Amino acid sequence: IEEISATSLRDFESLISLINLKEYAGIERAHLANIFAQNSISLAQLKIIQTTILNQELYYKNFIKYAPKNIYLFYDEKIPYTLEMKLQNFRDIVLKSYTTTHFGIDSLTWYKIATDRIDRLHIVLSKLLHKINKQVKTNKNNAYNALTFSVILWVLSILAFLFIWYTLYEMIKVEQ
């Protein structure tokens, strides 16, 4: 049971990290789409983007730390390095620019690529949720079986007690 609990905790930790990663990817998509549409960035917007990217990196590392191997491999399959590099190229235009205007980026192009990543994150998230749901159902069935077995043993022990009590009662009655 402890092994099941440890596995469940790791799966839940990876799930929470992936949910947060997806959430921050959405925040980044919205902010950068706005920045590219305005073709300028304020200091406050720059800080938000930096924080959002940092949070994504932290949640990704946490996801990798706790994710089951098959889910991690599925993540790598669904979100290839080339897609991450496309996103990073857009980020670099803003983050490494010496100017706060005239980025020359079509916000719709950014939005489509970022949405593709978010959709892919959702697919990975769905697979992880399916795995956890299956595991929860298995644990539920095991708990039900253990409870049923415990009740049967409890009933048998009560019957054994009653049988012994009746036998002793009859033996005492015969000797009197």
Side-chain angles (χ1 to χ4, degrees), residues 15 18 63 67 70-79 117-131:
L15 175 68
L18 194 57
F63 167 72
N70 64 326
I71 299 295
Y72 172 70
L73 293 173
F74 187 70
Y75 178 96
D76 273 353
E77 175 188 320
K78 286 296 173 193
I79 305 169
R117 177 177 176 236
I118 291 168
D119 292 344
R120 290 168 182 259
L121 283 168
H122 181 74
I123 292 168
V124 176
L125 187 59
S126 295
K127 184 170 178 96
L128 181 56
L129 278 170
H130 178 73
K131 178 190 181 303

Side-chain angles (χ1 to χ4, degrees), residues 24 48-60:
Y24 279 102
I48 290 170
I49 292 301
Q50 289 171 331
T51 302
T52 303
I53 292 170
L54 179 63
N55 282 330
Q56 286 180 76
E57 290 172 2
L58 292 173
Y59 283 118
Y60 173 75

Side-chain angles (χ1 to χ4, degrees), residues 48-145:
I48 290 170
I49 292 301
Q50 289 171 331
T51 302
T52 303
I53 292 170
L54 179 63
N55 282 330
Q56 286 180 76
E57 290 172 2
L58 292 173
Y59 283 118
Y60 173 75
K61 287 178 182 176
N62 205 44
F63 167 72
I64 296 306
K65 180 178 178 182
Y66 292 107
K69 185 176 181 180
N70 64 326
I71 299 295
Y72 172 70
L73 293 173
F74 187 70
Y75 178 96
D76 273 353
E77 175 188 320
K78 286 296 173 193
I79 305 169
Y81 181 73
T82 54
L83 177 59
E84 293 289 348
M85 288 313 301
K86 282 182 188 177
L87 292 169
Q88 191 58 45
N89 289 338
F90 281 99
R91 292 172 182 149
D92 287 347
I93 289 169
V94 172
L95 297 175
K96 295 181 179 179
S97 177
Y98 294 108
T99 180
T100 58
T101 59
H102 306 296
F103 299 116
I105 300 294
D106 178 29
S107 64
L108 185 58
T109 303
W110 159 258
Y111 192 85
K112 286 179 181 179
I113 293 171
T115 299
D116 182 37
R117 177 177 176 236
I118 291 168
D119 292 344
R120 290 168 182 259
L121 283 168
H122 181 74
I123 292 168
V124 176
L125 187 59
S126 295
K127 184 170 178 96
L128 181 56
L129 278 170
H130 178 73
K131 178 190 181 303
I132 290 172
N133 188 35
K134 194 171 161 185
Q135 187 177 15
V136 166
K137 285 181 180 178
T138 300
N139 291 348
K140 177 185 160 194
N141 289 339
N142 290 344
Y144 178 77
N145 291 340

